[in-house]
Amino acid sequence: VTGTRSLALLLSATALLAGGAWSAETESGPFGDASTADGGPECTVQVGGGLLKQLGTLTDAPLECSTAWTKLLLGFHYTRKNLTECVEREERSRADQSSNNFCELLLDDLRRQMRQERQRLTGESDQRIQAVQLELNEEKSRSVQLQDNVGAVQQELTKLYRELVLTNVAIGDTKQAHEYYQRYLKRQKQTDLAPLYEALIRFVYRKASHQQARVDSLLDFVRHLGDADQKLAIYRLLKVELDKRPGKESASHSVVMAFDAVDAAAASPNSPLQKLYLDTSGPIVKRWRKLIIDGEWRTVRDFAERYPDYYKRCYQMLLKVDVTTWQKMNFGKYVLLINTLPRSTFRMEAFAVVFELVRRYEKDVPLEKLKVLAAHTGIFEEFIKRKGLGQDAQDRLAKVKDMFKGFKANTDYAWYLKEYQRTKPKGR
């Protein structure tokens, strides 16, 4: 606002000075010439009355001549200063604009160079990517070929483990067979084991001269498997082959397999393994019991000799008969088995079963049966002496002799033996 009023004052003063009608002498002010202060010539300005009147209207109070002059000079000073600053700003603006234009040119040139460099690098990168892609494709081809080779090696290795399982089962090396079997399982799906099991059965029965030993080895191998389903799968295949061969060896293997199956089913009595045991062992035990009753003791004797642990599990089933059979059977033939058994323990246990049946089924003193039992006890005593068995066998013999007590007063083993010797037919 001050600048505007000063400019107006300046313009008015200029106009009035140009046509001033009177003059006035002014004192030297802050804007006076320096020569005035030094006694030089004074500056005289002719100011008309109209100018003073206009100067007076710019203020709220009437102005003296000297005051008006001072205000006029101040107006000139500030107006000049404002105009000078305006010009300087304009010049700076032009200089900045020129500088900006130059910078824009430099920036455009730099952008152009960057675009060219990017295009060059992009072209080189594309070439490198293509080269790498070609190498990658070649590597993929080599990798596929390598995988095919590895797959072929893996298949050969799986076949090798399969053959090693078969071979070690055949020679009876169960531990080694299981080691290769575990390696085979790691390379074969659990659902694809049937071909191996079928191969095992074929391998076992390949030569008739080695069948019994190889079936024993197979049963031992299966016995040590940890998976019940795997056991069941092999047992079912083996049962088919055993049923095709009704001989003594196959029957023995069937009994062993049946007890192994029931052992595997111990935690689940209603499992298929339990059913396999019943279906397999039941008919064979019934058939062997009839052989014992008829005096055919060799099959059971051989089984007890070859598989003593399994005989101990079934001897009571073989020797125990119902009352009807007891009354009809030939007692002399029935007890022939006792002194054919290979161990003194087995003989003592067989005597115990027979004496139990005598006490259960005979109401009167069965003198004839006790005399026969006394004769077989004498044979048992001769067996112990001939084999030179120790005190354990002597203790078992003593237990058998004690079994004769209690049937009749004042009778014991020695009394029944004498009765047998006294009444036995001559020549026997």
Side-chain angles (χ1 to χ4, degrees):
V1 176
T2 303
T4 303
R5 295 181 64 184
S6 298
L7 180 58
L9 177 61
L10 176 61
L11 294 175
S12 299
T14 303
L16 291 173
L17 286 172
W22 58 276
S23 64
E25 187 176 295
T26 63
E27 297 179 357
S28 177
F31 301 98
D33 192 281
S35 61
T36 304
D38 296 336
E42 295 180 354
C43 177
T44 301
V45 178
Q46 297 292 329
V47 179
L51 176 59
L52 289 174
K53 187 180 292 186
Q54 290 184 23
L55 289 172
T57 61
L58 297 175
T59 62
D60 295 334
L63 295 175
E64 296 292 335
C65 181
S66 61
T67 303
W69 177 247
T70 301
K71 292 182 69 67
L72 176 63
L73 292 179
L74 283 171
F76 270 113
H77 170 73
Y78 286 118
T79 300
R80 180 182 179 186
K81 181 180 179 182
N82 289 340
L83 290 174
T84 301
E85 291 178 352
C86 182
V87 171
E88 289 176 350
R89 283 197 301 272
E90 181 66 21
E91 290 177 352
R92 284 197 302 271
S93 176
R94 290 175 182 174
D96 291 342
Q97 184 65 34
S98 299
S99 177
N100 288 340
N101 292 338
F102 180 72
C103 290
E104 285 292 335
L105 292 175
L106 291 178
L107 183 59
D108 290 341
D109 185 63
L110 182 60
R111 288 173 177 169
R112 179 183 56 78
Q113 294 179 15
M114 290 177 64
R115 285 195 299 270
Q116 292 176 350
E117 183 67 15
R118 184 170 64 249
Q119 291 174 355
R120 183 182 66 81
L121 293 176
T122 301
E124 293 179 357
S125 298
D126 290 341
Q127 292 177 357
R128 291 177 181 175
I129 290 173
Q130 291 177 359
V132 171
Q133 188 64 45
L134 290 175
E135 292 181 2
L136 182 60
N137 292 337
E138 293 177 358
E139 288 296 329
K140 285 183 178 179
S141 299
R142 286 193 291 269
S143 177
V144 170
Q145 182 63 39
L146 183 60
Q147 288 178 356
D148 292 340
N149 294 339
V150 170
V153 172
Q154 295 285 5
Q155 290 180 357
E156 290 299 322
L157 193 57
T158 302
K159 291 180 181 179
L160 176 61
Y161 287 146
R162 176 179 176 273
E163 293 301 320
L164 288 171
V165 171
L166 299 179
T167 301
N168 282 278
V169 168
I171 64 176
D173 193 341
T174 301
K175 182 178 179 181
Q176 198 68 29
H178 270 279
E179 181 177 341
Y180 290 121
Y181 179 71
Q182 293 302 321
R183 296 184 185 182
Y184 180 84
L185 289 181
K186 292 179 180 179
R187 301 177 180 277
Q188 195 74 13
K189 295 181 180 179
Q190 296 290 327
T191 55
D192 296 337
L193 296 177
L196 172 63
Y197 298 156
E198 293 169 356
L200 274 172
I201 301 300
R202 289 194 302 270
F203 198 81
V204 163
Y205 284 99
R206 188 172 61 178
K207 291 184 179 180
S209 58
H210 303 298
Q211 282 182 9
Q212 186 173 13
R214 287 184 174 180
V215 173
D216 286 340
S217 298
L218 176 61
L219 288 171
D220 188 55
F221 171 79
V222 180
R223 189 177 301 125
H224 291 87
L225 289 177
D227 190 289
D229 291 336
Q230 294 176 15
K231 288 184 176 183
L232 179 62
I234 299 176
Y235 286 150
R236 283 174 171 171
L237 293 173
L238 180 58
K239 187 177 186 304
V240 173
E241 296 300 321
L242 292 173
D243 291 344
K244 293 178 182 178
R245 300 165 174 82
K248 179 175 62 177
E249 290 80 9
S250 293
S252 297
H253 288 143
S254 294
V255 173
V256 172
M257 182 186 71
F259 280 111
D260 286 345
V262 77
D263 289 342
S268 180
N270 296 323
S271 72
L273 288 166
Q274 177 74 22
K275 185 177 185 302
L276 178 69
Y277 160 74
L278 295 174
D279 293 344
T280 303
S281 64
I284 295 175
V285 168
K286 184 177 180 180
R287 187 166 68 247
W288 283 2
R289 185 188 301 120
K290 187 176 186 306
L291 290 176
I292 294 172
I293 293 171
D294 293 340
E296 298 291 338
W297 44 265
R298 290 176 179 80
T299 297
V300 177
R301 189 275 313 273
D302 293 345
F303 180 76
E305 191 169 36
R306 188 173 183 87
Y307 307 103
D309 292 337
Y310 292 91
Y311 168 80
K312 289 172 64 175
R313 299 179 67 173
C314 66
Y315 76 91
Q316 293 198 38
M317 292 186 290
L318 294 172
L319 289 170
K320 287 184 177 181
V321 297
D322 57 56
V323 63
T324 302
T325 303
W326 177 266
Q327 293 172 351
K328 293 180 179 180
M329 71 181 184
N330 185 316
F331 187 77
K333 291 182 178 181
Y334 168 70
V335 296
L336 287 177
L337 171 68
I338 296 177
N339 281 308
T340 65
L341 295 172
R343 298 184 181 183
S344 62
T345 304
F346 294 167
R347 296 189 182 194
M348 181 198 69
E349 292 169 345
F351 273 115
V353 172
V354 174
F355 271 98
E356 178 188 346
L357 296 178
V358 169
R359 294 180 184 278
R360 181 189 304 173
Y361 295 144
E362 298 294 336
K363 295 181 180 180
D364 299 326
V365 177
L367 180 59
E368 295 301 321
K369 289 182 174 64
L370 291 174
K371 289 193 306 184
V372 172
L373 288 173
H376 280 281
T377 302
I379 297 172
F380 181 31
E381 187 172 8
E382 289 296 325
F383 166 77
I384 292 174
K385 291 178 181 179
R386 185 174 68 255
K387 293 289 185 178
L389 302 180
Q391 187 60 44
D392 290 341
Q394 294 293 337
D395 293 341
R396 296 183 187 106
L397 175 62
K399 289 181 180 180
V400 173
K401 290 180 178 181
D402 287 341
M403 295 176 189
F404 287 89
K405 296 178 180 179
F407 286 98
K408 185 178 180 181
N410 300 321
T411 59
D412 57 9
Y413 158 71
W415 187 87
Y416 289 109
L417 180 61
K418 288 180 181 179
E419 285 296 310
Y420 171 77
Q421 292 172 344
R422 184 177 63 83
T423 59
K424 73 176 181 178
K426 293 182 179 181
R428 293 185 61 182

